[in-house]
Amino acid sequence: KYFKGKLPEMAGNEFNFTIQRLFDFVSNKEIFEEMFNALSVNFSSLLQNNKTGVILSISKACERLSFKQGQFIQSLVKALECEKSQNHVIPCIATLLPSSAIEASLNNIEVHLHGSLILQNIMNFNKPIKIVQSLLEMKPQVLSDIFCHQKGSRIADTFLESKFIGEKSREKLIKHLEGMYLKMALSKNGSHVLEKLYHAALEPQKEMIVSELAERLNQLNGSGCGKIINYKLNVEVYAKNANQWRSYLGRSSK
């Protein structure tokens, strides 16, 4: 009752942390809906004033209560001005920058901590279809850049682990990143994602990953991260004898 009518003002000033805590603890859906409606129209202002923690807290509440999830995505996408650019949705949320600013920074993506966490929450929404489609429509180069980023690698983790994202989407992601595996293997965070992709992959896709790495074995072994990937995925074994590698894979999957 005390905060009623004051949420937009407080969310935009030094009291925004109090508003975040309100969203962290609200359990009544009717009260949450009233709070959500008061602030969802102000996402643009919150972004401009760098009060992104409020948007993060709202996303967490949407996930926890399984409520207002579709409206949250719509409000955020509208605030980031990427409604008409499907392949910009993921970069815009990851960086919390509007679509107009993304085009110039696609070659140097800087993932925002709150943006990464918001995306992770959305991927645990009941129907994250729009987000999944956006991710799979991105240029592989840009997507791999995000996955090689310290904060962006956790987005991949959630995509692969969410119970609301189907097996077919995971298969499409692995296929979509074909040609980027070496780049990921040579990166500390990217190699973590690559290992996760490998373990989520079907046997033909596992071979596709290892085959691509085996073609650039010298480069792979030229970095500490690459050497670890070589060891874990038996890339050198594949390079010398693909049938032997398949034999190892068959035994390990039993």
Side-chain angles (χ1 to χ4, degrees), residues 119-248:
L119 272 173
Q120 291 172 57
N121 291 333
I122 291 175
M123 286 177 182
N124 283 315
F125 283 6
N126 295 339
K127 294 180 179 179
I129 299 168
K130 187 178 185 68
I131 298 301
V132 171
Q133 289 175 339
S134 173
L135 189 142
L136 295 175
E137 288 181 19
M138 287 176 63
K139 292 179 179 179
Q141 178 71 39
V142 178
L143 183 57
S144 60
D145 283 346
I146 289 176
F147 287 168
C148 287
H149 193 283
Q150 182 182 8
K151 302 179 185 77
S153 64
R154 300 303 172 188
I155 297 169
D157 287 351
T158 308
F159 187 96
L160 293 169
E161 295 166 4
S162 173
K163 64 181 180 180
F164 298 106
I165 296 177
E167 197 65 41
K168 291 292 183 186
S169 294
R170 294 186 177 92
E171 290 175 23
K172 287 178 182 177
L173 173 62
I174 295 167
K175 175 67 176 174
H176 191 58
L177 287 168
E178 191 174 356
M180 297 293 128
Y181 300 136
L182 179 66
K183 170 187 169 182
M184 294 172 68
L186 300 180
S187 156
K188 178 181 177 181
N189 298 296
S191 61
H192 160 81
V193 174
L194 179 60
E195 194 176 341
K196 287 271 190 127
L197 288 169
Y198 179 84
H199 289 301
L202 301 173
E203 286 192 14
Q205 289 184 311
K206 281 181 166 67
E207 181 165 358
M208 178 179 70
I209 293 170
V210 173
S211 172
E212 184 177 313
L213 296 175
E215 291 176 4
R216 312 289 284 278
L217 191 59
N218 288 338
Q219 283 180 263
L220 189 68
N221 284 329
S223 83
C225 298
K227 286 179 181 177
I228 293 171
I229 286 291
N230 179 11
Y231 174 76
K232 289 185 173 181
L233 307 191
N234 290 314
V235 179
E236 196 160 348
V237 172
Y238 185 92
K240 292 177 180 177
N241 189 326
N243 286 329
Q244 185 180 6
W245 180 89
R246 294 185 191 107
S247 175
Y248 286 155

Side-chain angles (χ1 to χ4, degrees), residues 36-37 39-44 47 55 58-59 62 67-86 89 92-93 118-119 122 125 127-131 133:
F36 178 91
N37 291 342
L39 286 179
S40 59
V41 294
N42 290 322
F43 277 4
S44 294
L47 289 167
I55 299 175
I58 296 173
S59 73
C62 288
F67 192 54
K68 289 289 179 181
Q69 296 178 347
Q71 291 95 321
F72 174 85
I73 295 173
Q74 289 173 6
S75 297
L76 183 57
V77 166
K78 183 178 180 180
L80 291 168
E81 302 167 2
C82 53
E83 302 149 288
K84 297 179 181 179
S85 304
Q86 178 72 4
V89 172
C92 284
I93 299 177
I118 289 168
L119 272 173
I122 291 175
F125 283 6
K127 294 180 179 179
I129 299 168
K130 187 178 185 68
I131 298 301
Q133 289 175 339

